[in-house]
Amino acid sequence: MRASLIAVGEKMPSWVTEGYNEYAKRLSHELPLQLVEITSKLRGRSNDAARVIADEGALMLAAVAKGANAIALDGRGKTCSSEQLAEQLARWRMDGRDLAFLIGGPEGLAPAVLERANQTWSLGPATLPHPLVRILVAEQLYRAVSLLGNHPYHRG
């Protein structure tokens, strides 16, 4: 099983790239995680926000592998503890399909992306900057893999 993290935005600050890369490297043997960056559409007063979100959503959906289990990161989604995520990861492994984690831009995800998603996952009630979500998702996936492998990383 492979996983992709499909996120709106390119040219992230170095701390975002370094943080994401650290956890992606740690995951490389148990759950290879590939980052797919979607070009942000121009935002501004002259651009229709709904159109921008829809265009980004179309690009995101095109990047989701055929048959993949799509998980949208959305504040209205289901929250879970690290242990619950590990249990979910075990179920995803049994399912055998690739995973696609979808992270929107500043305005969130397009309705079409939310409709395509098999699940929605919330990292909690706080509003988080979308670049930081990349790192948090990679870290939580690494933590889940560690829990399943009885690795001492998680000390909950």
Side-chain angles (χ1 to χ4, degrees):
M1 180 174 73
R2 297 181 160 275
S4 58
L5 193 147
I6 303 169
V8 172
E10 298 174 301
K11 299 178 185 167
M12 293 291 120
S14 61
W15 64 268
V16 173
T17 303
E18 290 168 13
Y20 170 82
N21 286 342
E22 175 62 28
Y23 290 106
K25 182 176 119 184
R26 292 181 187 195
L27 280 165
S28 63
H29 297 294
E30 296 293 327
L31 180 66
L33 182 62
Q34 173 192 12
L35 176 63
V36 178
E37 293 182 314
I38 303 298
T39 303
S40 298
K41 297 298 177 181
L42 289 176
R43 287 161 165 74
R45 293 180 192 189
S46 62
N47 294 330
D48 176 30
R51 185 77 220 148
V52 167
I53 295 168
D55 289 348
E56 290 172 347
L59 292 171
M60 289 184 87
L61 291 174
V64 175
K66 183 179 178 183
N69 187 0
I71 300 96
L73 276 290
D74 185 79
R76 298 164 296 213
K78 180 182 176 187
T79 60
C80 60
S81 67
S82 297
E83 292 83 3
Q84 289 168 326
L85 180 60
E87 292 168 5
Q88 178 63 68
L89 181 58
R91 288 190 295 275
W92 287 332
R93 283 180 169 170
M94 292 298 292
D95 181 48
R97 293 187 291 162
D98 287 342
L99 302 172
F101 295 92
L102 310 171
I103 301 172
E107 291 84 15
L109 292 163
V113 172
L114 291 170
E115 186 176 310
R116 162 60 179 92
N118 302 95
Q119 293 174 253
T120 55
W121 174 23
S122 172
L123 295 175
T127 300
L128 300 170
H130 64 279
L132 182 59
V133 172
R134 295 177 184 206
I135 300 170
L136 292 174
V137 168
E139 190 280 336
Q140 284 297 293
L141 290 172
Y142 176 69
R143 186 174 297 274
V145 164
S146 297
L147 279 162
L148 292 174
N150 293 316
H151 185 277
Y153 177 78
H154 178 75
R155 293 179 175 84

